[in-house]
Amino acid sequence: MYITYISMLNSAVDSRLDVKKVLRAEYHRLGVFLDSRCDRRRYTRILVDATRYSMYDEMHKWLILGSNLSHILDTLDDDAFSVSTDVVIAVPSADNYTLLLYEWTKKADLFYSTEIVQINALRRFDNSGPVFFAFKKNLIDISASPVAMKIDRLSNGDIIGPVWPIRSCFMFRTISSTKVKPDQFLQPLSVKVWYVILAMIGAVMAILIMFLRLEGVRGPAEIYGLSVLLTIGALSQQGSAFVPSRCAARIAYLQVLFCSLIILNYYSASVVSNRLKNKGEKMNDSLITLAKSNLKLAVEPAPYIRSFLRVPDKEVRYFYDNRWTKIPESEKYLPLDEGLNHVAKGLFAYHAMVDTAYPYIEHSFNYRSICELTEVHLFRGVLAFYARRRSSFTELMKVGLTKIRNVGIQKRELIRWGARKPFCPNNLLIAEPLSIQEAAPVIIFLCISVMLSILICIVENIIFCIVPPR
């Protein structure tokens, strides 16, 4: 605690003394010793300014020394006192001093009053609302309805404490089977395994070329062609029309067949496992990425959505300018149940508060749809209780809220009333047929192979017609 000393002996002190500046205390407690026996007019001014600037708070500790208790009590304004006020009055008595400690015993009649106030829908979340208007007019001391914590509200009200986290987001399913994945048939095996398989194919072809020469095959084209066909047939477990006559060639070919069989079994098992865990890569929590996607969008018709979409944030502004303004007005809003039903079907993103969306999702969606849910947040914040700026009840409410939090009541209420995130089992297996998007790479490869085969057949027939065999 810091103690300040200000001399009042100078006659020009009234024009130079700035009580608000001298007794300002924001980060450290300040002890104030005031001797009222010097000049009653001057110390009265200090007490009046202290009342005006709300300096009877937890940051100021007062010790007032005086000779007449009644004069001091007449000057002090106990309406500015609160539960955190620390004022001690010392009055001389014989050879000692009598200390009078201030105790906050303010009483007031309790009553409730209501007043209908019209609020501009475009300005619901600014400081012009009825609560902060009442704070400015000193009509109320405490707001029982929590309000989002924002920096620009601190000049109109004091935060008692955070009480409830809130967030809103766009929800949609990430369905893996709706995407074309050219590399899905290479993923079951790692890159190093594929390198080993390619090296094995080269080694097998070289060995088969040597054995084919020992078998009496002399033409280079026939030797290389048979080596390629034998290797591919062994890897595909299709066998071969050419049967080697030597034992060494037969043993080598059988070993290639067994090795290919083992690799094929591992590959098949990995493909099945990958299909059962067919979960696509989810989108980043970014409104810019969502704006660039081809998902259809809609929001819950709530009054706060306009305020959320007009936040001066880079991602929000990009989403609003490049996607939201381009949606027809008749397609922007859907009821909660209808919007989430579209989400369950896929290729649709719906915005809602998680407190209202989670219960519906938990009871209406299956496990697969829940595990495929992706969230892109539009707003995250914490609601807090507010009190009038420098209200005498602020510290009292802070102490009460702190006790509620320390004994676990607040955590228990959050668990009880907060919406639980829908459960997704980690061992969920998804058995679904291969979609056209997933089969597209195979179909494309097959079409290319057929076209290449037809082209080679045409070239061979042209060569046969031009150059007849001898």
Side-chain angles (χ1 to χ4, degrees), residues 211-454:
F211 282 116
L212 287 174
R213 288 179 178 177
L214 295 177
E215 291 291 331
V217 182
R218 298 302 177 186
E222 189 176 0
I223 291 176
Y224 291 111
L226 279 175
S227 65
V228 173
L229 291 177
L230 286 173
T231 304
I232 295 176
L235 290 175
S236 305
Q237 298 295 301
Q238 298 300 315
S240 173
F242 179 80
V243 181
S245 59
R246 295 176 178 271
C247 294
R250 293 184 177 184
I251 292 173
Y253 187 70
L254 287 174
Q255 188 167 356
V256 173
L257 284 174
F258 284 126
C259 182
S260 302
L261 177 62
I262 294 174
I263 295 177
L264 182 61
N265 287 335
Y266 274 108
Y267 180 83
S268 301
S270 182
V271 168
V272 173
S273 176
N274 188 48
R275 288 293 304 164
L276 291 177
K277 297 180 180 179
N278 190 20
K279 298 179 181 179
E281 184 177 354
K282 294 188 176 182
M283 182 186 299
N284 294 332
D285 191 358
S286 171
L287 289 172
I288 297 178
T289 307
L290 179 62
K292 295 179 180 179
S293 68
N294 58 351
L295 296 172
K296 295 182 179 180
L297 302 177
V299 301
E300 183 182 9
Y304 52 76
I305 186 62
R306 295 183 179 179
S307 300
F308 289 171
L309 290 172
R310 296 188 179 184
V311 174
D313 179 78
K314 178 182 177 181
E315 290 197 5
V316 177
R317 298 315 313 158
Y318 183 91
F319 176 81
Y320 183 84
D321 296 334
N322 295 274
R323 191 62 187 275
W324 182 252
T325 55
K326 299 180 180 179
I327 301 176
E329 195 68 25
S330 59
E331 301 178 5
K332 288 183 177 180
Y333 303 97
L334 287 177
L336 181 68
D337 54 349
E338 184 178 351
L340 291 178
N341 288 338
H342 284 295
V343 172
K345 297 176 182 178
L347 300 178
F348 192 89
Y350 184 73
H351 175 273
M353 301 293 291
V354 296
D355 290 333
T356 57
Y358 278 173
Y360 186 88
I361 292 174
E362 188 173 13
H363 291 89
S364 303
F365 284 31
N366 54 34
Y367 282 145
R368 175 186 168 188
S369 300
I370 292 175
C371 292
E372 292 175 341
L373 274 181
T374 305
E375 298 178 356
V376 175
H377 289 86
L378 177 61
F379 177 80
R380 293 183 185 181
V382 179
L383 300 182
F385 284 137
Y386 274 81
R388 178 174 55 84
R389 181 72 172 164
R390 300 186 183 279
S391 171
S392 58
F393 294 94
T394 302
E395 292 304 317
L396 180 64
M397 295 299 296
K398 285 183 178 179
V399 172
L401 187 60
T402 301
K403 290 184 177 180
I404 290 175
R405 186 182 298 113
N406 290 341
V407 298
I409 296 178
Q410 183 179 5
K411 182 178 180 180
R412 185 183 67 182
E413 294 302 311
L414 286 174
I415 296 175
R416 179 180 180 183
W417 297 107
R420 181 182 64 179
K421 189 171 185 178
F423 174 71
C424 169
N426 294 327
N427 58 347
L428 178 66
L429 300 179
I430 302 174
E432 61 178 0
L434 195 69
S435 65
I436 187 64
Q437 289 86 356
E438 293 176 302
V442 179
I443 297 175
I444 294 174
F445 178 76
L446 179 62
C447 293
I448 294 175
S449 301
V450 171
M451 293 175 61
L452 185 61
S453 301
I454 295 174

